């Protein structure tokens, strides 16, 4: 098989185009989620919830947050493991759910999870019966009849229903069914997921192909990441990138396409930048999400938004939405490379567009 020879510029443009961040904007929200395969549904709202920022960065002001909430409530989009996904893709996950907690041989921690769920089978049956009778329901409305409490050194200690629901989702018995206010609703998965069953090996192959199509370029194998892998195994075709060690996999259908870039402000959880190793290798961009660091140790800010210009990540926007005061405060615009006057003007326009979309007054726009 031919090994594709790519420059870093080629690789970056492939990644940007696959993530729908070039100048050709997609048709609408459902099209974005279908082509990206997933959007992380984190509720941190320093500027706006991440999923809303991801959709806005692709669609602009034609997108409003109510569209995503309605789609989840109406189940035209579904949530699994904290990611919004197109319903058709859920059929590619059910075979893996059926093998929970994993394919043999199981690791010790997997055995412990299986034993904990088995010990609390009575509570499992109580939850399923309550959902069958009255669902969708919030976790607070579900019975805690666990006989073996969940032990943890973290915030989940003794949160038996929360953990059991997590495992019932992984087993394919329970599914997210929208929200009531800020509370997630749960229902029987059989009422939500498609009936189609895809065999395990075929499902994993298709998931890898879908993931590569959404990323454009990825490693065959990568470190495990929570929620969704960053690697694609044997999907696509092999490639090498000039100046970067090792081999990559690319979607050949995305190669040799014209590229016209634009400027975009990205959520820190945007799929283009979520694999920090990949953006360091391909974009030569240094980035960490610093919200968990003490304020004095932050270089770029609590929720610093990567700035895309064309096929380069050129800086970070440190901003925060103060909804009580009705303002979007720009604390700093960090330049990884000195901005030209054209880049400065385009970044300022994007910040102004963000403030307008949020219906907030902009305070402070001077780059530094």
């Amino acid at each position: 098989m031919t090994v594709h020879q790519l420059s870093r510029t080629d690789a970056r443009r492939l990644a940007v185009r696959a993530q729908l961040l070039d100048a050709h904007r997609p048709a609408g929200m459902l099209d974005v989620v279908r082509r990206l395969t997933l959007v992380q549904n984190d509720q941190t709202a320093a500027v706006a919830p991440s999923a809303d920022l991801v959709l806005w960065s692709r669609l602009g002001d034609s997108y409003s947050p109510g569209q995503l909430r309605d789609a989840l409530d109406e189940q035209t989009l579904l949530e699994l493991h904290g990611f919004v996904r197109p319903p058709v893709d859920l059929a590619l996950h059910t075979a893996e759910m059926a093998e929970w907690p994993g394919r043999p041989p199981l690791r010790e921690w997997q055995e412990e999870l299986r034993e904990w769920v088995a010990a609390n089978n009575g509570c499992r049956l109580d939850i399923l019966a309550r959902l069958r009778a009255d669902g969708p329901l919030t976790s607070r409305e579900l019975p805690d009849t666990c006989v073996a409490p969940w032990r943890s050194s973290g915030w989940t200690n003794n949160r038996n229903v929360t953990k059991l629901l997590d495992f019932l989702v992984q087993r394919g018995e329970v599914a997210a069914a929208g929200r009531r206010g800020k509370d997630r609703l749960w229902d029987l998965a059989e009422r939500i997921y498609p009936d189609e069953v895809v065999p395990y090996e075929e499902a994993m192959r298709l998931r890898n192909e879908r993931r590569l199509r959404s990323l454009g370029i990825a490693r065959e194998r990568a470190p495990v990441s929570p929620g969704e892998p960053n690697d694609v195994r044997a999907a696509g075709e092999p490639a090498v990138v000039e100046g970067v060690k090792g081999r990559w996999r690319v979607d050949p259908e995305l190669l040799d396409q014209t590229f016209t870039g634009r400027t975009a402000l990205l959520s820190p959880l945007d799929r283009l930048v979520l694999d920090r190793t990949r953006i360091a290798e391909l974009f030569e961009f240094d980035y960490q999400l610093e919200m968990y660091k003490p304020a004095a140790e932050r270089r770029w800010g609590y929720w610093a938004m990567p700035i895309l210009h064309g096929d380069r990540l050129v800086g970070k926007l440190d901003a925060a939405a103060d909804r009580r005061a009705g303002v979007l405060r720009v604390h700093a615009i960090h330049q990884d490379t000195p901005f030209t006057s054209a880049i400065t003007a385009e970044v300022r326009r994007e910040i102004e567009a963000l403030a307008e979309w949020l219906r907030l007054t902009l305070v402070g726009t001077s780059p530094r």
Side-chain angles (χ1 to χ4, degrees), residues 258-277:
T258 58
F259 178 84
T260 304
R262 61 182 175 88
T263 301
L265 306 175
L266 306 181
S267 162
L269 304 180
D270 194 291
R271 192 71 164 152
L272 182 71
V273 299
L274 193 59
D275 183 344
R276 312 304 191 206
T277 301

Side-chain angles (χ1 to χ4, degrees), residues 204 208 211 218-222 224 229 231-236 249:
M204 298 304 288
N208 287 336
R211 188 179 309 117
R219 291 291 191 182
E220 182 173 325
R221 294 183 180 272
V224 175
D231 55 29
V232 295
R233 303 305 168 103
R249 307 293 295 188

